Amino acid sequence: MQNKTKIAQFVLLGIILITLNLRGPITAVGPVIDLIKNQYAFSGATAGLITTLPLLAFAFFSPFASRFKYGPTMFFGLFCIVLGEIIRSYTGEIGLFMGTLIMGAGIAIANVLLPSVIKAKFPKNFGKIMALYSLILVVSATIGAGTSVPLAVSLHLGWENALSVWAIIAIAAFFLWYPHLKGRRKYQTNKTRSLTSVSVYKIPTAWWITLFMGTQSLIFYSVVAWFPSILIQKGFSLYFASNMTLFYQLCSLPVAFFAPMLLAKMRNKNRHIFTGILCLMYAFAFIILYFQSNVLMVFLATFLLAFPMGGVFGIALLFISVKASLPQNVARLSGMAQSLGYLIAAIGPIFLGFIYDVFSSWKPPLALFVLLSLALIFFAYKANNSEAI
């Protein structure tokens, strides 16, 4: 029994370290995006591509990740993360994009496999471990958003070194996962139908979850990419924009942990109300940013952003885990939701950057954010009411 406990703790530590690599390397870019733009003379659309490329990698690699043994596949994904982060920082303008794409492929693999690994390794504590997983994702995003400017500017390391710091965490996860290299999947047996015989793309439930995942991801990664720039255009400094980014990430931590657990215990009616309130907070935050530019109102908008930024992704993960009972079904549903979902999300940063280039204003993108927030409520309602698979 003691040996099993130690093994479980070792596996959990590996899951935590891998999860730390899934958001921080991406959110770290937003606060220093203006430094990168100035160095390479990028347009808004081109700079938005830096955040869009990982999402395109998520979309392309997610369907394939679930078809292989999770041990070697996760190991390969971690290798891609380390390699991509180094290439992104130190090989010039072309390497910036190539490294980002390689890193995104590695993150895509881990994104898809981790919920399945958690379901297989911790079937009795799945809800709690998924809540921890959701929390660590936000912790990762918070560290990424909060450390880039201090490392790049205050410590004079430059944006290249500030971004490459994430390779250290990836290397640690890489070696910690090595014992799992020859691991085999251990799934429960025939308690329900497997998606190996039924195409997940033919199931309405999968589509509603995918639309919810895609819309919330589009909002999240667009905010991550452009929120500092929105504040800078309002007349605030880079440091203030960076601090506000860190602020909403910190405030989102408790929401990321408790929202999935609370939602899992609620009745359907209360789930709709809870999810709807979170999505409305998005809408109110964007409306405030559209009309207001004073410090107090920007602070309020940033605070409101924190709740859906922390809670909505965890709700998407909960939909995936609750609506699929077998680990292999979770992997297939997760693969579809993340593949098509991130393809939808990939439109956001580059398209919003293009709109900004056209209008020289963030007001049109903010109006679009409001509409997307309302659409998110509808998709959540349909996903929550759909049948389990």
Side-chain angles (χ1 to χ4, degrees), residues 95-147:
L96 173 65
F97 294 105
M98 290 299 299
T100 299
L101 188 62
I102 294 170
M103 178 194 74
I107 294 175
I109 291 170
N111 271 338
V112 171
L113 293 184
L114 274 180
S116 181
V117 172
I118 293 170
K119 186 112 180 176
K121 297 294 185 180
F122 301 95
K124 295 181 180 179
N125 297 302
F126 181 71
K128 293 180 180 179
I129 302 300
M130 284 300 293
L132 178 63
Y133 170 62
S134 178
L135 174 64
I136 299 300
L137 283 174
V138 179
V139 169
S140 173
T142 302
I143 296 172
T147 58

Side-chain angles (χ1 to χ4, degrees), residues 143-154:
I143 296 172
T147 58
S148 291
V149 171
L151 289 173
V153 180
S154 299

Side-chain angles (χ1 to χ4, degrees), residues 274-293:
F274 183 79
T275 306
I277 290 173
L278 282 181
C279 297
L280 282 175
M281 284 183 174
Y282 257 149
F284 287 136
F286 295 133
I287 290 171
I288 291 171
L289 290 173
Y290 185 95
F291 289 105
Q292 300 292 330
S293 296

Side-chain angles (χ1 to χ4, degrees), residues 181-243:
L181 188 58
K182 297 181 180 180
R184 294 181 179 273
R185 295 176 182 259
K186 293 183 180 179
Y187 292 127
Q188 303 169 21
T189 57
N190 301 322
K191 292 184 179 179
T192 187
R193 63 173 175 164
S194 170
L195 289 178
T196 54
S197 59
V198 179
S199 173
V200 68
Y201 294 94
K202 296 180 179 180
I203 301 174
T205 298
W207 281 102
W208 290 119
I209 293 174
T210 297
L211 288 171
F212 181 79
M213 172 67 83
T215 304
Q216 70 84 23
S217 296
L218 189 154
I219 296 173
F220 177 86
Y221 285 103
S222 297
V223 171
V224 164
W226 294 119
F227 183 69
S229 297
I230 292 171
L231 297 188
I232 289 171
Q233 195 195 48
K234 288 180 176 291
F236 296 104
S237 68
L238 175 62
Y239 280 101
F240 179 84
S242 175
N243 288 336

Side-chain angles (χ1 to χ4, degrees), residues 361-377:
S361 170
W362 284 110
K363 285 194 171 184
L366 287 169
L368 182 58
F369 274 135
V370 175
L371 296 177
L372 289 170
S373 303
L374 298 177
L376 199 58
I377 298 175

